[in-house]
């Protein structure tokens, strides 16, 4: 019988019509098999859809990842390091202090690899992105920029960075950019690829692209409009304004100004993120997933994805524990 699937067969049976309930297929058994099969199909379709939607550009858009990686690889220096803590919070460090943490070619490739690593970190709940030696990031390495000035290569680099930063923002982790010192050009774009931004008192975010004869290309303009609206975004891009913490807070670009505690800004950021990442990893990840899908998709698509994600936590361990404890929220 077609619906009497292999996974329901009695272990020793060689007859495909023999199910776990007896020797021949019963209508109830068929309905059960069908419903389990449908459920499995729906779940794997949802997983496939979620995975496929991670990257923006692939070969169907004329994007060849290996080709642009080969172009970027000769521009070396600096690194992007990742530390995954036992509390489920990871720290991603943009580390090239000799060039104010500018992104060399190899750092762009490393960032992509670190983001892929984080996509597979099942215990993860949160992420802090920061720059080495008390400054955030001065954008792309101008040495690399000068060497790849033709627009085709520029567009390929832009596709790679958009893929990476889109995947960063879509991670099932609550992410926060800790902006100390300067976030300039691509550095300003990077900080918009996190869910939240924290600034220290002496820091600034500045979209300097116009002064470079450019516009953002790493997805920063699109994300900025979503964050602060097109009116404020236009002001920031057209004037290359230095955005200081108070102004950033006023226009909703940042979430908090960190007062520098004795333990330093990274420890402050850890404390800040801890209040949003309490509890089981799977529930935290589901919370982030519903928000990530909701902020990008049309409402009907988003509602369907929300339903799929809901299905992953409903009746799960954290849900059952809360029900059995009779949890109250007063
Ligand atoms: C996606 C599009 C983009 O991101 S385009 C790139 C946008 N970024 C820029 O144009 C930043 C240019 N740099 C600056 O404005 C200044 O260097 C800033 C970051 C304000 C720091 O100034 P200041 O504190 O006076 O230090 P400094 O100029 O002496 O810099 C220290 C060393 O770092 C270097 N540096 C800095 N930024 C970059 C960069 N983006 N690419 C390559 N190198 C960079 C400086 O050249 C300087 O190096 P050196 O000590 O002179 O060898």
């Amino acid at each position: 019988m077609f619906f009497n699937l292999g996974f329901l067969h009695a272990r020793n049976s060689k007859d495909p019509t023999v199910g776990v309930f007896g020797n021949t297929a019963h209508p109830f058994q068929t309905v059960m098999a069908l419903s389990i099969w449908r459920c499995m199909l729906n779940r794997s379709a949802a997983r496939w859809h979620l995975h496929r939607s991670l990257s923006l550009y692939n070969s169907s858009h004329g994007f060849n990842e290996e080709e642009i990686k080969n172009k970027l690889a000769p521009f070396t220096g600096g690194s992007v390091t990742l530390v995954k803590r036992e509390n489920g919070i990871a720290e991603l460090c943009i580390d090239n202090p000799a060039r104010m943490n500018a992104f060399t070619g190899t750092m762009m490739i490393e960032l992509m690899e670190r983001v892929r690593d984080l996509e597979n970190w099942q215990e993860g709940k949160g992420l802090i992105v920061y720059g080495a030696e008390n400054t955030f990031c001065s954008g792309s390495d101008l040495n690399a920029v000068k060497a790849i000035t033709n627009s085709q290569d520029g567009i390929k680099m832009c596709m790679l960075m958009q893929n990476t930063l889109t995947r960063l923002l879509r991670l099932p982790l609550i992410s926060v950019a800790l902006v100390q010192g300067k976030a300039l050009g691509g550095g300003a774009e990077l900080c918009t690829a996190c869910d939240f931004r924290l600034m220290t008192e002496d820091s600034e975010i500045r979209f300097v692209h116009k002064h470079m004869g450019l516009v953002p290309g790493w997805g920063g303009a699109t994300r900025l409009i979503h964050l602060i609206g097109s009116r404020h975004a236009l002001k920031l891009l057209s004037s290359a304004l230095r955005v200081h913490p108070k102004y950033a807070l006023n226009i909703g670009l940042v979430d908090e100004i960190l007062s520098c505690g004795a333990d330093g800004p990274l420890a402050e950021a850890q404390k800040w993120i801890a209040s949003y990442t309490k509890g089981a990893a799977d529930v935290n990840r589901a919370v982030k997933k519903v928000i990530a899908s909701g902020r990008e998709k049309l409402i009907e698509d988003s509602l369907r994805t929300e339903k799929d994600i809901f299905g992953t936590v409903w009746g799960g361990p954290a849900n059952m524990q809360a029900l059995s404890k009779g949890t109250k929220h007063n």
Side-chain angles (χ1 to χ4, degrees):
M1 180 118 181
F2 177 72
F3 292 122
N4 209 345
L5 301 162
F7 61 85
L8 282 177
H9 291 167
R11 190 167 283 209
N12 297 322
S13 171
K14 291 200 173 94
D15 179 353
T17 64
V18 177
V20 285
F21 300 106
N23 286 333
T24 48
H26 184 276
F28 172 66
Q29 179 184 357
T30 305
V31 171
M32 279 283 290
L34 183 57
S35 116
I36 293 172
W37 177 239
R38 270 211 193 110
C39 182
M40 284 175 72
L41 267 181
N42 281 346
R43 278 186 183 222
S44 43
R47 252 186 247 125
W48 177 82
H49 185 74
L50 285 174
H51 184 75
R52 191 173 170 269
S53 66
L54 289 174
S55 276
L56 275 179
Y57 304 111
N58 52 44
S59 51
S60 70
H61 307 96
F63 178 63
N64 180 337
E65 191 178 288
E66 285 312 306
E67 184 197 353
I68 187 63
K69 275 164 72 177
N70 290 338
K71 285 247 155 81
L72 292 170
F75 302 101
T76 58
S79 62
V80 177
T81 60
L82 178 64
V83 176
K84 293 181 205 153
R85 304 248 173 236
E86 292 232 327
N87 62 0
I89 312 297
E91 293 163 1
L92 185 79
C93 180
I94 314 303
D95 191 353
N96 188 12
R99 296 180 205 166
M100 306 296 280
N101 298 330
F103 267 96
T104 60
T106 49
M107 285 170 73
M108 290 183 194
I109 298 168
E110 279 184 35
L111 180 67
M112 187 185 71
E113 286 163 359
R114 302 295 172 263
V115 169
R116 284 188 182 155
D117 185 347
L118 286 166
E119 281 168 355
N120 296 315
W121 188 35
Q122 298 304 319
E123 297 78 28
K125 301 199 268 183
L127 172 70
I128 301 171
V129 179
Y130 73 106
E133 298 193 11
N134 306 325
T135 193
F136 189 70
C137 170
S138 63
S140 48
D141 179 359
L142 293 172
N143 303 308
V145 170
K146 281 176 205 154
I148 347 179
T149 46
N150 74 75
S151 73
Q152 277 173 345
D153 285 344
I155 286 173
K156 285 172 192 161
M157 184 264 281
C158 152
M159 283 166 129
L160 179 100
M161 286 304 282
Q162 279 201 14
N163 267 355
T164 303
L165 295 185
T166 302
R167 292 174 79 142
L168 172 63
L169 189 57
R170 287 176 180 171
L171 283 173
L173 308 171
I174 291 183
S175 56
V176 54
L178 166 59
V179 181
Q180 300 172 263
K182 294 180 197 303
L184 297 189
E189 295 192 64
L190 169 65
C191 79
T192 63
C194 290
D195 299 312
F196 301 111
R197 278 143 295 283
L198 304 174
M199 288 178 88
T200 56
E201 275 161 7
D202 57 348
S203 62
E204 74 178 46
I205 297 174
R206 193 172 180 201
F207 290 82
V208 295
H209 304 74
K210 192 176 170 193
H211 287 177
M212 306 292 294
L214 290 172
V215 291
W218 296 359
T222 304
R223 290 187 297 269
L224 194 64
I225 292 167
H226 276 256
L227 282 171
I228 60 172
S230 58
R231 205 164 52 88
H232 285 306
L234 186 58
K235 277 187 193 164
L236 265 48
L237 295 194
S238 59
S239 64
L241 195 75
R242 282 175 209 275
V243 184
H244 293 296
K246 276 190 187 146
Y247 181 58
L249 198 60
N250 258 334
I251 60 174
L253 180 57
V254 299
D255 300 274
E256 200 157 313
I257 304 170
L258 288 185
S259 51
C260 226
D263 298 331
L266 192 54
E268 292 294 315
Q270 275 280 3
K271 274 187 222 155
W272 191 89
I273 202 171
S275 56
Y276 298 100
T277 52
K278 288 184 187 130
D282 60 340
V283 181
N284 274 282
R285 296 163 71 79
V287 167
K288 171 61 194 282
K289 282 180 198 169
V290 287
I291 298 299
S293 86
R295 78 178 148 207
E296 287 186 34
K297 292 186 175 179
L298 294 174
I299 192 142
E300 285 188 6
D301 284 345
S302 173
L303 287 168
R304 287 189 195 104
T305 308
E306 184 173 324
K307 177 259 300 163
D308 290 338
I309 297 166
F310 173 82
T312 66
V313 285
W314 175 258
N319 180 219
M320 296 311 280
Q321 203 185 8
L323 289 175
S324 69
K325 277 200 304 198
T327 305
K328 291 197 175 179
H329 311 281
N330 45 4

